[in-house]
Amino acid sequence: MPINRPVVTALAAALCLLTAACGGSSSDDKASDTTTEARASKTGYPVTLDNCGQKETFKKAPGRVVVMNGASVAEVSTLLALGLGDKIVANQQTYGMSEVSGRAAAIKKLPTGDVKLNDAYDIPREAMLGLRPDLVLSTTSYGFDEKNGFATRDQLKDVGANSYVSPQGCDQDTSKMTIADSYQLLRDMGKVFNVSDKAEKLIAASEKNIAAVKEKVKGEKQPKVMVLFSNMSMGGNDFSSVVAKGIYNDILAKAGGSNAFENASKTSFADLSKEKVAATDVDALVVIAYNDPSPAAYAKKLLKEFPQWPAAKNNAFVTLSDSMYLGPSNDLAVEKIAEMLHPDKV
């Protein structure tokens, strides 16, 4: 779920051109280099990203983008935030709701490619190749694993398609993900589509909003928050969709809170018994809705089930969806959580 960040190669190439410090050349070579530089400065291309150890070179802005499912909306939301919805020929991502007005409806209107999905609810190899993409986005490297029936990155390259794995998705371990990774996704897509100015404006606005919230809650006690997905099972215990690590904790910290179950697992999610949950002081709930139309009902059910929690006594909960995960709207999650935890400050 929601990498090594690319810009080193591109920056080195740019410095090379600007300083002419790449070794001797004939006058013809210099003239050729000058022409290439002028062409690149006008178009913004070529652009090369080092993505999960694989170089992806874009000679122009992609026009047939396929967004794989990956149980995410990070990629499709990032493209929409950058005004690139018209580049998408097939999208499999949806949470059914969003903290951003109009985004859920905009995602729903996107083409799906009319493909038959596999058992992982994603696009199998032959269907993918049939879509004739020039860029395929996957939340993690899982989406390009041949063992899972997906087109590999090499197979996509053979048909002229670039591919991209989102930040922290290379090894499918999102436990170290932070808000900075959301910004990296924006920056990378900004470079790929030559809309870096827009990406930087979005990042600057988000950073400004988060900084304002952090300043308001500075020095306040950090309530212990339970973060979990509503009505979702990922393991064998009663509570298997409880967040332990990842971008969620970064969001909580900037909102003036802390994760009550951060040490319950070394991975992103903890698989907890009802007894473990009952024995933990929970000051507030953050319920993440993934295609669940009634996350608030789920939150109220939990508060009723554990009346000993301070959260239950104070009816302290907030429901979120796409802003709580990798994507362009983390500042909204920070603000909404801070309003719940520190209503007198935010």
Side-chain angles (χ1 to χ4, degrees), residues 38-117:
R39 188 182 301 117
S41 66
K42 287 181 180 179
T43 67
Y45 297 98
V47 170
T48 299
L49 300 184
D50 184 0
N51 182 243
C52 294
Q54 182 163 320
K55 284 182 171 55
E56 295 286 333
T57 298
F58 299 82
K59 296 180 181 179
K60 62 180 181 178
R64 294 187 60 82
V65 183
V66 174
V67 184
M68 300 188 74
N69 184 345
S72 175
V73 285
E75 293 74 28
V76 71
S77 296
T78 296
L79 294 181
L80 289 177
L82 291 170
L84 301 169
D86 61 336
K87 308 295 184 183
I88 300 172
V89 296
N91 169 61
Q92 293 301 327
Q93 294 186 345
T94 175
Y95 273 7
M97 57 189 69
S98 173
E99 275 73 72
V100 178
S101 178
R103 180 180 288 166
I107 291 175
K108 191 174 182 179
K109 289 179 181 177
L110 292 172
T112 64
D114 295 322
V115 300
K116 183 179 180 181
L117 303 181

Side-chain angles (χ1 to χ4, degrees), residues 43-317:
T43 67
Y45 297 98
V47 170
T48 299
L49 300 184
D50 184 0
N51 182 243
C52 294
Q54 182 163 320
K55 284 182 171 55
E56 295 286 333
T57 298
F58 299 82
K59 296 180 181 179
K60 62 180 181 178
R64 294 187 60 82
V65 183
V66 174
V67 184
M68 300 188 74
N69 184 345
S72 175
V73 285
E75 293 74 28
V76 71
S77 296
T78 296
L79 294 181
L80 289 177
L82 291 170
L84 301 169
D86 61 336
K87 308 295 184 183
I88 300 172
V89 296
N91 169 61
Q92 293 301 327
Q93 294 186 345
T94 175
Y95 273 7
M97 57 189 69
S98 173
E99 275 73 72
V100 178
S101 178
R103 180 180 288 166
I107 291 175
K108 191 174 182 179
K109 289 179 181 177
L110 292 172
T112 64
D114 295 322
V115 300
K116 183 179 180 181
L117 303 181
N118 60 16
D119 291 341
Y121 299 99
D122 224 327
I123 305 171
R125 181 189 304 106
E126 293 306 317
M128 176 64 77
L129 299 178
L131 290 168
R132 298 181 294 108
D134 56 8
L135 174 61
V136 179
L137 303 179
S138 179
T139 305
T140 73
S141 57
Y142 178 90
F144 300 121
D145 192 332
E146 192 168 25
K147 296 194 301 291
N148 301 319
F150 299 123
T152 67
R153 300 186 77 174
D154 285 340
Q155 289 167 345
L156 289 167
K157 188 166 287 187
D158 287 342
V159 296
N162 287 101
S163 55
Y164 179 86
V165 177
S166 288
Q168 300 297 335
C170 297
D171 57 4
Q172 301 181 48
D173 178 12
T174 59
S175 62
K176 295 180 177 65
M177 186 181 286
T178 67
I179 294 172
D181 292 306
S182 293
Y183 297 156
Q184 189 63 53
L185 178 56
L186 275 166
R187 284 197 172 100
D188 286 348
M189 291 302 101
K191 291 169 187 171
V192 167
F193 290 92
N194 198 22
V195 290
S196 288
D197 287 351
K198 187 160 190 176
E200 291 303 327
K201 285 179 181 177
L202 290 171
I203 292 167
S206 174
E207 289 177 329
K208 182 179 179 180
N209 292 343
I210 291 174
V213 173
K214 281 183 65 179
E215 183 61 30
K216 290 175 182 177
V217 302
K218 185 178 179 180
E220 295 296 307
K221 181 181 177 182
Q222 294 188 333
K224 295 179 181 178
V225 183
M226 180 182 191
V227 182
L228 77 168
F229 284 78
S230 59
N231 291 307
M232 182 178 288
S233 177
M234 300 182 187
N237 282 296
D238 294 323
F239 293 90
S240 56
S241 64
V242 177
V243 169
K245 291 176 172 60
I247 193 171
Y248 320 95
N249 291 0
D250 191 18
I251 291 171
L252 285 178
K254 288 177 170 60
S258 62
N259 189 339
F261 296 95
E262 182 176 1
N263 298 320
S265 174
K266 293 181 179 180
T267 59
S268 296
F269 293 94
D271 188 7
L272 305 176
S273 66
K274 184 176 179 179
E275 290 73 24
K276 170 68 174 176
V277 170
T280 304
D281 283 335
V282 173
D283 296 316
L285 283 178
V286 172
V287 173
I288 306 172
Y290 176 70
N291 288 318
D292 181 357
S294 303
Y298 179 76
K300 291 174 182 177
K301 175 186 170 187
L302 279 184
L303 296 178
K304 187 175 181 180
E305 188 174 359
F306 300 101
Q308 74 277 15
W309 284 349
K313 296 171 183 175
N314 298 318
N315 196 36
F317 75 91

